[in-house]
Amino acid sequence: MPDYLTVSTATETREQAVALAQSVVQGRLAAGAQIIGPVTSVFWHAGEFGTSVEYQLLLKTTSARYPALEAHLIEHHPWDNPEVCATEIVQGAAGYLGWIDRTTTD
């Protein structure tokens, strides 16, 4: 498993996105969060085609913190089956990656 990850999820409202971002960063499950939006999402859900406005969260964390971050997002997310996807950070500035390490350590 890679050492560093960007984890994405999305919410229906900006307020929901801010609340999730604050809870994961305060809990040191992620070093930081970026909220992007509104964005337009096009999808299939429950057998129906849909389009909606969402707010995307990008969370920076370590592979060691990922299981707890995923569990927290699933437990506190307003949706029953939220997107929780992790992408490897293959390379990054040493100072930035060190910051992720320091801020996600209890």
Side-chain angles (χ1 to χ4, degrees), residues 12-100:
E12 185 176 4
T13 69
R14 183 181 182 282
E15 294 74 21
Q16 292 168 339
V18 169
L20 276 177
Q22 288 175 335
S23 68
V24 298
V25 172
Q26 286 175 339
R28 296 191 176 272
L29 301 174
Q34 297 166 315
I35 299 169
I36 302 165
V39 298
T40 301
S41 187
V42 179
F43 52 85
W44 282 97
H45 178 70
E48 294 187 20
F49 181 78
T51 303
S52 69
V53 172
E54 297 176 351
Y55 290 80
Q56 184 178 34
L57 282 79
L58 299 178
L59 310 163
K60 308 309 184 291
T61 195
T62 63
S63 59
R65 296 301 277 163
Y66 177 80
L69 173 60
E70 179 186 292
H72 180 92
L73 289 172
I74 290 170
E75 180 180 343
H76 294 93
H77 201 287
W79 296 342
D80 292 336
N81 186 28
E83 165 197 351
V84 180
C85 297
T87 303
E88 298 177 27
I89 298 174
V90 178
Q91 294 185 31
Y96 182 77
L97 298 178
W99 169 76
I100 294 174

